[in-house]
Amino acid sequence: METITGFVEHIVFRNEENGYTVLNLAVEEDEVTCVGVFQFISEGESVELKGEYTVHPSYGPQFQVESYAIKAPQDIVSIERYLGSGAIKGVGAALAARIVRRFKEDTFRIIEEEPERLAEIKGISERKAQEIAEQTEEKRELRQAMIFLQNYGISLTLAVKIYQTYQLDMYRIIQENPYKLAEDVTGVGFKIADEIAHKVGIHMDSDFRIRSGILYVLQQASLEGHTYLPKELLTRRACELLEVDTDAVEKHYMDMTIDRKLVMKQTEDQVQIYASTFYYMELNVAVMLRELNVKYDFSETAVEQRIRKIEELSDLKLDEMQYIAVVEAVRSGLLVITGGPGTGKTTTINTIIQFFESEGMDISLAAPTGRAAKRMSETTGYEAKTIHRLLELSGGMDEHAGFERNEQNPLETDVLIIDEMSMVDITLIHNLLKAVVAGTRVILVGDVNQLPSVGPGCVLKDIIDSHACNVVRLNRIFRQASESDIIVNAHKINRGEPVVLDNKSRDFFFLKRYDADIIIRVVIALIQEKLPRYVDAKPYEIQVLTPMRKGLLGVERLNQILQRYLNPPDEKKKEKEIGQRLFREGDKVMQVKNNYQLEWEILGRYKIPVDKGVGVFNGDTGIITEINEFAETAEVEFEDGRQAEYSFKQLEELELAYAVTIHKSQGSEYPAVILPILSGPRMLMNRNLLYTAVTRARKCVTVVGSETTFAEMIRNEKQQQRYSSLDRRIRELDESEQKESAIGEKGLS
């Protein structure tokens, strides 16, 4: 290992996420290009670097840095160079020269110990002298803080966040209660805080630890879709996590409720415990839905005449339930329309749009995902946006969304129609309703038999179950749809009826195979040879859906194998390995967490941007178009034309998407779907899951696997229980209003 010393002349590139830096180092008379991870290093600083000389295939000789130390500038030239480099804001080369000429080798001592003396120099006021001293001190403090936090295994990015949140108070907090970090700093979860606490020597039964652990369990439960947990279940999970007894956990519930960290609700048969955020979210959504749920006085005759005119002009005939849906949309402030595939939801929406349009009303259409919004635009002929775009996502801090549209700046529309409501979670509906003013008609459309949202809550189901607003169920399968076995079989699955597997269908096939590796070979043959021609689609548009992540037919194994066959290694294609995942140019990928800050653009002709924005969301799929090893970035083009640049660190947010779980396919539609089914956990292999998978296909479904497992899935109604209570919050509001009204009437009499 070699050691070189010099000063940083120029920083060529820096990845702010992981600290990877390319810089030019002046070493005596030479200039050396150095690469490595530098925590905090500025132009003009003197450094000692240890590492090896290497030769990059594209960029030539480089010094690969293993470790480094920042050295205080020793001689007058170095001090001047450092001060004039821009490291200290407001001090340029000329001013640096004057400072060093006046104080020589004593410059740094003067700045640190007698900063007021800087005012002796022309051009420096007392205030400016103080600012220079503060900046120098701050830099030193920041470096010391970084080194301190590194001792606890904290990454650079998190260390910066921690320092910015607490400044010098962080030393006290880490010593006394590192669990506070999990509450205040995004990215520091319970596990990291617990590791720090262990190193600091905080006891297992510390109050801080147990309280933080309880909140962590509730947060993990929200990732499973729950807005609360029954007390017994929360206690059991917290005890397992913290390795303490029941009493040690339960004694904190009341205090945490008083501190407004938790909300406890007693029902007939259990105590429900919420992280207060989710309780108040459900409560606020219930209040806002109730405010929207008003009746409008429209002449029945006038409405009927208008509908008949629309039917005439559009050359269509609504059935009874579709007609009722349009009438209720006109007369109700809040309406839910639910129905399976082929039941005429699109025709109903189009008629509603035409009705309100003829009234001169402004209409906004939205859906939870880019794919669903695109499909809504195609079927209605009107622009539909994602809910995030409708609310004008502003790229909130870290993992939290910030929206321009809210109570202060509401949506300017008369009618709001949301499609694919089964995918909307409690957080998204809460943000949406905050931006809707009373008097706006809100129409929620979805299939209640689909899987619930990935995020917490069961919003559509809970609204329907509350019986507090008008719900129209479309249940007739229209003639055109009834010719499709995809739709016929989907409804059979939903009703628990057996499906005929004789392969006489044109769009629903069953290939019986009983070995996982043989099933995979069949899947590859279908994608590469059979289906593209049959459904007129490219191989990467054909989607493999599977119930599980793990196992012989799980997403993880399938993706590795499918990548090998569908996008094999090629010397022209660059690759990047992140943990256990290998990404290659040309790979089909999916975003697996919401990133509210990732910038994207849509390029028109001649690569000129025609649209820009922020936010890429869980479930968005695209193709890796470029991997840039020097800049440490990867370019992804999504299906709707958005292009986003990922740093290598952000690639953790992507997964290969040749195969995806059925849960992740919600709201999407594909030309052809392949379902490999062999066996799996009973809780997972259920009717609901199969129904969702089949309804994702537009032209063709091919099931490959065991007919016995397929039949069992149809019979199995069991679903994983999801703890949510929006329906209860809505009913409570109704009950309290009835009580108030009864008291009022009594008073009048």
Side-chain angles (χ1 to χ4, degrees):
M1 195 174 286
E2 294 190 52
T3 302
I4 58 173
T5 305
F7 77 92
V8 181
E9 197 162 64
H10 176 54
I11 292 175
V12 179
F13 168 81
R14 169 170 282 151
N15 183 328
E16 296 297 341
E17 286 285 327
N18 57 16
Y20 178 83
T21 306
V22 180
L23 57 84
N24 294 337
L25 191 76
V27 183
E28 294 172 352
E29 300 300 312
D30 294 332
E31 188 176 273
V32 180
T33 301
C34 302
V35 296
V37 175
F38 301 99
Q39 292 163 347
F40 272 87
I41 205 163
S42 307
E43 290 180 353
E45 287 190 304
S46 295
V47 288
E48 182 181 274
L49 309 178
K50 291 183 178 178
E52 302 288 349
Y53 282 100
T54 59
V55 178
H56 192 279
S58 306
Y59 305 106
Q62 295 181 341
F63 190 74
Q64 186 74 43
V65 180
E66 293 296 320
S67 65
Y68 73 97
I70 295 169
K71 303 183 80 65
Q74 299 299 321
D75 58 65
I76 289 174
V77 174
S78 301
I79 295 170
E80 186 179 324
R81 197 183 283 135
Y82 174 72
L83 286 176
S85 68
I88 307 285
K89 205 168 140 191
V91 178
L95 189 55
R98 290 207 296 277
I99 294 170
V100 175
R101 218 168 26 247
R102 176 81 173 82
F103 299 115
K104 301 190 170 52
E105 287 90 348
D106 217 18
T107 298
F108 273 108
R109 190 194 63 77
I110 296 288
I111 291 173
E112 286 170 14
E113 295 174 15
E114 301 175 71
E116 65 282 356
R117 286 191 59 193
L118 291 172
E120 296 170 15
I121 293 158
K122 193 181 172 189
I124 299 181
S125 62
E126 283 183 19
R127 188 177 164 191
K128 188 158 185 168
Q130 200 55 47
E131 280 174 7
I132 293 170
E134 279 169 9
Q135 278 191 66
T136 310
E137 182 64 22
E138 207 174 279
K139 270 187 160 316
R140 196 173 68 199
E141 284 170 1
L142 184 56
R143 276 203 206 102
Q144 285 169 348
M146 294 300 108
I147 292 162
F148 174 78
L149 291 168
Q150 295 279 299
N151 294 333
Y152 293 103
I154 295 169
S155 72
L156 173 71
T157 315
L158 275 185
V160 174
K161 283 185 189 173
I162 292 168
Y163 181 77
Q164 285 171 342
T165 306
Y166 303 118
Q167 302 290 314
L168 294 180
D169 214 26
M170 71 173 206
Y171 297 102
R172 180 184 61 78
I173 288 165
I174 283 173
Q175 292 298 326
E176 291 176 8
N177 176 20
Y179 297 100
K180 190 167 167 50
L181 273 62
E183 288 183 40
D184 298 342
V185 183
T186 308
V188 180
F190 172 79
K191 292 284 174 73
I192 293 174
D194 207 32
E195 277 177 35
I196 297 169
H198 182 68
K199 288 176 182 171
V200 172
I202 288 172
H203 292 294
M204 293 277 284
D205 59 354
S206 150
D207 288 353
F208 293 134
R209 182 172 185 265
I210 292 170
R211 285 173 164 232
S212 185
I214 292 167
L215 292 173
Y216 175 74
V217 170
L218 287 169
Q219 185 212 340
Q220 292 303 109
S222 76
L223 300 178
E224 298 167 26
H226 309 303
T227 57
Y228 73 88
L229 285 179
K231 182 181 169 184
E232 288 73 20
L233 181 56
L234 172 60
T235 304
R236 190 170 73 244
R237 287 190 179 186
C239 291
E240 284 168 11
L241 171 77
L242 299 163
E243 297 175 11
V244 296
D245 61 28
T246 303
D247 290 346
V249 171
E250 289 189 345
K251 71 177 188 183
H252 288 283
Y253 290 155
M254 192 49 73
D255 287 343
M256 289 177 77
T257 303
I258 293 164
D259 291 345
R260 299 193 171 190
K261 298 286 185 197
L262 301 179
V263 172
M264 294 169 72
K265 294 289 285 186
Q266 178 73 56
T267 67
E268 305 78 47
D269 55 349
Q270 61 180 201
V271 176
Q272 300 167 348
I273 300 184
Y274 302 74
S276 55
T277 320
F278 285 118
Y279 176 80
Y280 288 109
M281 229 178 246
E282 285 191 339
L283 186 59
N284 290 339
V285 167
V287 169
M288 291 186 286
L289 286 170
R290 213 162 149 279
E291 283 172 359
L292 291 168
N293 191 19
V294 295
K295 295 288 174 215
Y296 292 97
D297 194 18
F298 259 82
S299 148
E300 212 165 304
T301 316
V303 172
E304 187 179 352
Q305 284 174 350
R306 185 71 50 82
I307 294 172
R308 298 303 175 215
K309 195 173 179 183
I310 293 167
E311 285 180 320
E312 205 178 296
L313 290 169
S314 309
D315 194 24
L316 59 89
K317 182 79 181 117
L318 300 178
D319 83 333
E320 185 192 357
M321 294 317 290
Q322 287 177 310
Y323 177 80
I324 290 170
V326 179
V327 172
E328 289 301 334
V330 174
R331 295 168 63 178
S332 311
L334 177 67
L335 174 67
V336 175
I337 301 172
T338 182
T343 55
K345 290 197 296 290
T346 300
T347 303
T348 309
I349 291 171
N350 285 339
T351 310
I352 291 168
I353 291 170
Q354 288 176 62
F355 188 103
F356 286 127
E357 215 176 24
S358 68
E359 290 286 317
M361 290 175 152
D362 287 328
I363 304 155
S364 294
L365 309 182
T369 65
R371 208 170 220 180
K374 191 179 174 192
R375 198 168 74 245
M376 198 181 185
S377 297
E378 287 164 358
T379 54
T380 61
Y382 293 82
E383 186 194 9
K385 296 177 178 176
T386 63
I387 297 172
H388 288 91
R389 279 199 84 186
L390 181 77
L391 297 177
E392 296 171 22
L393 180 74
S394 56
M397 288 302 291
D398 306 306
E399 287 144 36
H400 302 290
F403 295 105
E404 297 292 332
R405 296 286 180 178
N406 48 36
E407 312 92 311
Q408 282 77 43
N409 181 27
L411 292 165
E412 291 161 15
T413 189
D414 301 310
V415 181
L416 177 62
I417 304 175
I418 307 292
D419 200 8
E420 293 286 356
M421 260 307 293
S422 60
M423 296 183 67
V424 175
D425 62 25
I426 193 70
T427 309
L428 192 53
I429 193 78
H430 185 251
N431 280 311
L432 177 67
L433 293 177
K434 279 199 301 185
V436 177
V437 292
T440 307
R441 283 178 173 81
V442 175
I443 300 159
L444 308 175
V445 184
D447 183 351
V448 75
N449 294 310
Q450 297 279 3
L451 290 167
S453 58
V454 175
C458 271
V459 174
L460 180 63
K461 183 178 178 294
D462 280 357
I463 293 173
I464 293 170
D465 288 351
S466 73
H467 304 295
C469 71
N470 274 333
V471 177
V472 179
R473 297 176 191 270
L474 304 177
N475 41 31
R476 179 188 158 196
I477 305 174
F478 284 83
R479 186 179 59 79
Q480 200 177 343
S482 67
E483 291 169 8
S484 160
D485 285 322
I486 294 173
I487 288 170
V488 170
N489 289 341
H491 284 275
K492 280 184 176 176
I493 292 165
N494 193 36
R495 292 193 297 267
E497 297 169 9
V499 170
V500 178
L501 306 175
D502 59 5
N503 285 340
K504 289 180 180 174
S505 169
R506 283 180 303 181
D507 59 7
F508 196 102
F509 304 102
F510 200 106
L511 307 178
K512 295 173 187 177
R513 303 289 189 277
Y514 307 101
D515 178 270
D517 291 339
I518 292 169
I519 290 172
I520 293 170
R521 281 211 293 275
V522 171
V523 168
I524 291 164
L526 286 166
I527 298 173
Q528 285 186 318
E529 299 158 28
K530 307 263 175 65
L531 285 174
R533 285 199 307 276
Y534 190 70
V535 297
D536 188 25
K538 297 181 177 98
Y540 70 80
E541 291 177 311
I542 294 159
Q543 190 61 57
V544 179
L545 299 181
T546 176
M548 294 160 297
R549 288 197 58 81
K550 307 281 183 190
L552 293 173
L553 291 175
V555 162
E556 291 173 8
R557 182 169 186 249
L558 278 171
N559 271 320
Q560 282 182 346
I561 297 169
L562 292 171
Q563 182 190 40
R564 231 169 25 244
Y565 282 92
L566 302 177
N567 189 30
D570 187 321
E571 59 187 24
K572 292 177 187 165
K573 291 179 179 178
K574 293 194 189 77
E575 298 178 350
K576 176 65 187 172
E577 199 165 349
I578 302 287
Q580 301 297 306
R581 300 173 195 162
L582 177 72
F583 294 110
R584 185 176 293 131
E585 288 176 347
D587 271 337
K588 183 178 177 181
V589 289
M590 176 183 273
Q591 178 79 11
V592 291
K593 64 176 280 193
N594 290 338
N595 184 330
Y596 298 108
Q597 289 184 305
L598 191 62
E599 294 176 1
W600 55 261
E601 57 184 17
I602 296 173
L603 301 178
R605 289 179 69 186
Y606 314 115
K607 301 276 184 184
I608 296 167
V610 293
D611 198 4
K612 286 184 177 183
V614 290
V616 178
F617 305 106
N618 192 346
D620 287 353
T621 53
I623 304 288
I624 296 178
T625 52
E626 187 189 356
I627 292 173
N628 186 328
E629 287 165 341
F630 178 67
E632 296 204 323
T633 58
E635 190 86 30
V636 176
E637 184 171 344
F638 292 98
E639 287 172 326
D640 53 7
R642 289 172 303 151
Q643 292 187 19
E645 189 179 85
Y646 288 74
S647 69
F648 279 177
K649 190 171 183 293
Q650 287 171 315
L651 290 179
E652 292 169 358
E653 297 177 10
L654 293 176
E655 279 181 4
L656 293 174
Y658 299 102
V660 302
T661 61
I662 296 165
H663 279 90
K664 289 282 190 192
S665 72
Q666 280 177 270
S668 298
E669 196 178 70
Y670 312 96
V673 161
I674 303 171
L675 283 171
I677 291 175
L678 203 52
S679 63
R682 186 164 164 76
M683 282 306 285
L684 207 57
M685 309 295 277
N686 59 40
R687 183 188 298 177
N688 201 219
L689 200 79
L690 190 58
Y691 173 77
T692 301
V694 169
T695 54
R696 300 305 90 209
R698 201 161 49 241
K699 295 179 182 176
C700 179
V701 169
T702 308
V703 185
V704 190
S706 160
E707 71 276 27
T708 311
T709 304
F710 185 81
E712 279 173 5
M713 285 180 81
I714 295 174
R715 286 194 296 272
N716 180 17
E717 279 188 275
K718 280 201 168 122
Q719 289 180 51
Q720 225 162 354
Q721 189 174 2
R722 181 170 280 213
Y723 299 108
S724 71
S725 55
L726 176 61
D727 55 340
R728 202 173 292 116
R729 297 291 83 80
I730 295 171
R731 283 199 298 273
E732 283 172 357
L733 287 173
D734 276 1
E735 284 162 14
S736 68
E737 189 189 276
Q738 285 165 13
K739 277 181 191 168
E740 281 172 24
S741 153
I743 291 164
E745 283 173 19
K746 201 174 174 184
L748 286 168
S749 61

